[in-house]
Structure formats: C-alpha cells, structure tokens
Amino acid sequence: MENNSCIRQQADIDQINRCKEAVSELNETFDYLANGLSLVGNNVRLKILYLLFEEKKLCVCDLSDILGMNISAISQHLRKMKDRNLLQTERDAQTIFYSLTPKYSTLLNPFFEILDKNKVLETI
Amino acid sequence: MENNSCIRQQADIDQINRCKEAVSELNETFDYLANGLSLVGNNVRLKILYLLFEEKKLCVCDLSDILGMNISAISQHLRKMKDRNLLQTERDAQTIFYSLTPKYSTLLNPFFEILDKNKVLETI
DNA sequence: TTTATATTTCAGCATTTGCTTAAATAAGAA
DNA sequence: TTCTTATTTAAGCAAATGCTGAAATATAAA
C-alpha cells in the first residue's frame, strides 16, 4: 500500500474507528453476500434466475435453447448457483430440473418485479 | 455453439418460445441490471456501499483508511459506481464526499438490513 | 508563486471469469 | 448389453477485472 499520504486533517477519527470495527465484524458476511450478488450480477445468470422465477422450473437443455447458448456453458452457470444455494435441483428420469430456492426467490423478488414491469430505466 | 444435440423430446415448445420472446424483449434491461448488480457483487464495493448507507457520506481518503486499501484502488471503485449512478458526489474544498443516490439506497436496502442485523447466515 | 493536500487517471500486470471443445457420467430404451 | 438422450466435468484460452505505482489534476494555504 503506497499512496496513503492522505491522513486527512479534518478526518473524524471516531467515525473512522467505528467504521473499521463494523467492517471487521461483518467481514465474512460481506464476502458471502458479495459472492452471492456477483452471481446475480451476470447477464446470463440473471436471465436464468428470472426465467426460473417466471417458469418455476427448467432444465439445462431448455435454458440452452432459450438463451441460444452452449449447454456446457449453461451447466457451468447452474452449478455455480446451485453451489451457492441460489438454485435447487429435482430429477425426472434423465432430465434435471432447476428451480430457485425459496430464500433467494424472496430476496431477489424486487429485481424480478423491475424486470416484470420492464421499468428499469425509470427505476434505476 | 456445439453441444446442442439436445432438443428435448418432451420439451414444451410453447414455453420455450414464450421464454425466448421475454428474453429478447428484456434484453437491454438484463444487461443494464446485471451491470448494476455486478458492481454491488464485489467485496470492496459492497463494503463501500454499506459504509455510505451507514455514514451518509465519506471521502476516498476515509474509505481508504477504513478498508486499509490504496487510495487509487478505492477511487477507481468509486468512479465505476458513480458512472453507473449508484453514487453521487459533493465537493467541500479539496475533499470530495461520496454518497448513495436515493434510488440505489432504496433498492439495496434489503441487503443493508441483512448486514445491519448480521443475519446473513440464517437468511441466505 | 510555491508548497501541501486531496483526488483522479493511466499503464502494466496477475488473477478471475466465461466460453469452447472434448471426454466423462448417468439414466432410459432397444 | 449397446445405443441414445441428458447432463456434467475438465482443460485451455481470450477477455475482463482489480490492484499497484507513477504521473496528472485541482484546490487551498504559505
């Protein structure tokens, strides 16, 4: 760390310390939450999540067809999201259906609503 | 696109087409929203956003100090978020204070609440 | 004007991400 | 069992990301 010449004259030391403490206390939480949000913050994965929100369940093959993408690519996205508990699976013979876990369905609802109404440009 | 041998036997063609249409219609919206979420889905930026939520406004130097990171690195994160309208600035002499834009403050509130109560592990 | 403070910008680089292709696994049908 | 369908996994690579360090910009104080 170099460029740290700036220990501000009028910095609020109490504020700085309070913040440092908060960050240190919440550290793993930040990591965990940021990781979850980074999964949602991808073009393809956001589409998958939205489609699952709308259609309840879909298989890799459906998603591959819908998004015009390689099955392998989709499968890798699904795996990441399943590993992080955004998605769950259910097998029906050879076909594996993916769906949103209830927790994330709830948490991401505001974003799906925005997409549903296609009102992002006004809202965000 | 190679591995696309799987045009499922029992695929619901109507469903697939409905989905294709939805995705195509919302395409730029997905891009825009995913880009916004990808900004939030980063460790350092999530911390910055949370700190601004708690403290209302902070300068690069404060954040650099709190997070123990290079000022330049912080500045580059702030720029990205300002460019995407997550943040706004206000100058006070040499110091530039960053704060959340009202829209994103509202939209990200659920995540800040989770952090506030440090209840991520149960919730997510 | 010169000097100090606060911040941004740029170039370079290592790491991470996301896709492609090919091979592996798994379940049902012939 | 062999063949087909559905999916996952692994290796390789190109593009994107995030950090470092140095130089540039901007405001205020001496």
Side-chain angles (χ1 to χ4, degrees):
Chain A
M1 222 210 315
E2 191 61 39
N3 245 341
N4 239 346
S5 49
C6 152
I7 295 124
R8 275 204 306 138
Q9 237 63 340
Q10 346 85 297
D12 180 341
I13 306 295
D14 287 347
Q15 184 184 43
I16 303 284
N17 286 333
R18 178 178 1 117
C19 289
K20 278 184 181 172
E21 219 170 305
V23 168
S24 130
E25 197 175 326
L26 290 171
N27 208 42
E28 313 97 69
T29 308
F30 279 121
D31 285 348
Y32 192 71
L33 187 53
N35 176 255
L37 285 163
S38 77
L39 290 176
V40 186
N42 168 282
N43 212 351
V44 176
R45 287 191 296 264
L46 184 61
K47 285 176 191 167
I48 293 175
L49 290 165
Y50 177 71
L51 287 166
L52 292 175
F53 173 75
E54 289 291 319
E55 304 293 329
K56 305 309 169 206
K57 60 178 191 174
L58 291 165
C59 68
V60 214
C61 178
D62 292 333
L63 288 164
S64 162
D65 196 358
I66 294 163
L67 300 176
M69 285 178 63
N70 195 312
I71 287 180
S72 171
I74 300 289
S75 179
Q76 289 173 72
H77 282 303
L78 291 172
R79 188 183 203 292
K80 282 187 187 180
M81 293 193 280
K82 196 193 170 191
D83 284 351
R84 229 331 281 279
N85 289 323
L86 305 213
L87 301 183
Q88 62 200 176
T89 54
E90 163 198 352
R91 173 157 231 146
D92 176 9
Q94 296 124 302
T95 307
I96 292 167
F97 285 102
Y98 284 82
S99 57
L100 288 171
T101 55
K103 278 175 184 178
Y104 276 89
S105 190
T106 305
L107 192 63
L108 298 177
N109 214 64
F111 301 101
F112 297 143
E113 294 292 321
I114 288 170
L115 284 160
D116 248 345
K117 292 165 189 157
N118 199 9
K119 59 173 186 182
V120 177
L121 298 173
E122 309 105 72
T123 311
I124 279 179
Chain B
M1 222 208 320
E2 190 62 37
N3 244 341
N4 240 346
S5 49
C6 152
I7 294 125
R8 276 203 306 140
Q9 238 63 338
Q10 346 85 296
D12 180 342
I13 306 295
D14 286 346
Q15 183 184 42
I16 303 283
N17 286 332
R18 175 174 8 112
C19 289
K20 278 184 180 172
E21 218 170 307
V23 168
S24 128
E25 196 175 327
L26 290 171
N27 209 43
E28 313 99 67
T29 307
F30 279 122
D31 285 349
Y32 191 71
L33 187 53
N35 176 255
L37 285 163
S38 76
L39 290 177
V40 187
N42 168 281
N43 213 352
V44 176
R45 286 191 296 262
L46 184 60
K47 286 176 191 168
I48 292 174
L49 290 165
Y50 176 71
L51 287 167
L52 292 175
F53 173 74
E54 289 290 320
E55 304 292 329
K56 306 309 168 206
K57 60 178 189 174
L58 291 165
C59 67
V60 214
C61 178
D62 292 333
L63 289 164
S64 162
D65 196 359
I66 294 164
L67 300 176
M69 285 179 63
N70 194 313
I71 289 181
S72 170
I74 301 289
S75 179
Q76 286 173 75
H77 282 302
L78 290 171
R79 188 183 204 292
K80 281 187 187 180
M81 294 194 279
K82 196 193 171 191
D83 284 351
R84 225 339 274 282
N85 288 326
L86 307 213
L87 301 184
Q88 59 199 180
T89 54
E90 163 199 351
R91 175 158 230 146
D92 176 9
Q94 294 124 303
T95 308
I96 292 168
F97 285 102
Y98 284 81
S99 57
L100 289 169
T101 56
K103 277 175 183 176
Y104 275 89
S105 190
T106 305
L107 192 63
L108 297 177
N109 214 66
F111 300 101
F112 297 142
E113 295 291 321
I114 288 170
L115 286 161
D116 248 344
K117 293 166 190 155
N118 199 9
K119 60 174 188 184
V120 178
L121 299 173
E122 310 105 72
T123 312
I124 277 178

